[in-house]
Amino acid sequence: MDGGAGAQYNPRTVEEVFRDFKGRRAAIIKALTTEVGEFYRQCDPEKENLCLYGFPSEQWEVNLPAEEVPPELPEPALGINFARDGMQEKDWLSLVAVHSDAWLLSVAFYFGARFGFDKADRKRLFNMTNDLPTIFEAVTGAAKKSLEEKIAGSNHSTTKSKSNSKPREPESYGKYPKQQPPLPPAMQDDDDDDGLDDDDDEHGETLCGSCGENYAADEFWICCDNCEKWFHGKCVKITPARAEHIKHYKCPTCTNKRARP
């Protein structure tokens, strides 16, 4: 082992530290994915505490921890080999991946602290490392799954937005009763940008078929699908939630007429 791969050089700029980070990250991902068979073989539980090292050269190594105290660089998690046969391989690899992610960040910010990165440099370094999927995500496939979910969610949101973007026309109330008085004919072709402040004026001549009061925009109204008269919801004891489940609404007057022999 080459002293944790830190003895050969010391990256001093944000770009150099990030390049170091990417090399170590690629090495560990290789050990936990494409070369997992060899990694598994080397993590013999009968051996002493072992660590997984990733080097800037994109090479990995399973070895004993550094002997010097303190070490040249922060050390990876100790004893990863002991848990190998005590849990499912997938879970074991995921655990190693999580600890490797923590190690990578500790090494990167060790360099940042050692060479006096200021707040702006530390922030830039974090943003650069954070733009890459974690080792855990790469090993478990969570990065790909997350991307697929984001794409699916975006498509669903777009579809939903499109379906809700067009207001329901009077003809679309075949399933549910109308719940807002119609605009006067002269206003029906106007753009939606005219503003909502004129709603009261537009519907001002609409009267409740029960109490005779004028339409008010802040009140719930419902239309009888039989006589097409409008009513305050409170006057006919219909709430907005209940109206959503009524396919064909009939006011009390029309209901009583139908009930007569």
Side-chain angles (χ1 to χ4, degrees), residues 47-66:
K47 295 182 179 180
E48 298 180 41
N49 282 300
L50 294 177
C51 301
L52 172 60
Y53 292 90
F55 302 137
S57 61
E58 298 189 10
Q59 299 299 311
W60 60 272
E61 181 179 70
V62 173
N63 213 326
L64 297 172

Side-chain angles (χ1 to χ4, degrees), residues 7-257:
Q8 294 183 350
Y9 78 105
N10 285 318
R12 293 175 178 270
T13 67
V14 172
E15 287 71 23
E16 288 176 347
V17 173
F18 181 59
R19 189 159 55 247
D20 179 276
F21 175 92
K22 287 197 299 181
R24 296 176 189 275
R25 173 182 173 275
I28 295 176
I29 290 177
K30 190 188 303 181
L32 300 180
T33 56
T34 58
E35 299 179 9
V36 68
E38 179 61 21
F39 171 68
Y40 186 90
R41 186 190 66 77
Q42 292 189 28
C43 290
D44 186 351
E46 297 299 321
K47 295 182 179 180
E48 298 180 41
N49 282 300
L50 294 177
C51 301
L52 172 60
Y53 292 90
F55 302 137
S57 61
E58 298 189 10
Q59 299 299 311
W60 60 272
E61 181 179 70
V62 173
N63 213 326
L64 297 172
E67 294 181 0
E68 66 268 21
V69 179
E72 175 66 18
L73 290 176
E75 286 290 298
L78 297 174
I80 58 173
N81 52 312
F82 295 148
R84 191 195 74 176
D85 296 342
M87 57 196 308
Q88 294 289 331
E89 180 179 344
K90 179 180 67 174
D91 296 333
W92 175 63
L93 293 174
S94 297
L95 185 62
V96 174
V98 168
H99 283 288
S100 297
D101 278 318
W103 177 65
L104 283 184
L105 288 175
S106 68
V107 170
F109 281 87
Y110 164 84
F111 286 128
R114 180 172 180 176
F115 296 111
F117 286 6
D118 59 19
K119 181 179 180 180
D121 284 342
R122 292 196 303 272
K123 183 176 182 180
R124 189 154 63 94
L125 175 60
F126 176 77
N127 288 337
M128 293 169 74
T129 58
N130 198 42
D131 281 339
L132 294 174
T134 64
I135 295 175
F136 175 81
E137 289 173 333
V139 170
T140 62
K144 181 179 179 182
K145 181 179 179 182
S146 176
L147 179 61
E148 291 174 349
E149 289 177 347
K150 286 182 179 179
I151 293 175
S154 176
N155 291 339
H156 176 71
S157 177
T158 301
T159 302
K160 184 176 181 181
S161 177
K162 287 181 178 179
S163 66
N164 289 341
S165 62
K166 184 178 180 180
R168 291 188 295 180
E169 301 295 335
E171 292 83 0
S172 67
Y173 284 100
K175 182 176 179 181
Y176 297 114
K178 290 174 283 187
Q179 298 172 21
Q180 184 182 31
L183 294 173
M187 300 292 293
Q188 290 180 359
D189 295 331
D190 287 354
D191 293 336
D192 293 335
D193 297 334
D194 289 343
L196 299 178
D197 295 337
D198 298 331
D199 280 354
D200 287 342
D201 294 336
E202 295 168 1
H203 303 305
E205 296 181 359
T206 303
L207 303 179
C208 173
S210 178
C211 70
E213 295 278 339
N214 288 343
Y215 167 79
D218 60 348
E219 294 180 303
F220 170 69
W221 283 60
I222 188 168
C223 180
C224 174
D225 288 307
N226 192 46
C227 67
E228 297 190 352
K229 289 183 179 180
W230 288 90
F231 299 86
H232 288 109
K234 62 183 180 181
C235 290
V236 291
K237 298 182 180 178
I238 299 292
T239 64
R242 183 180 173 189
E244 286 299 320
H245 300 282
I246 301 176
K247 294 182 179 181
H248 191 83
Y249 174 69
K250 287 187 178 182
C251 67
T253 301
C254 291
T255 301
N256 292 334
K257 286 182 180 178

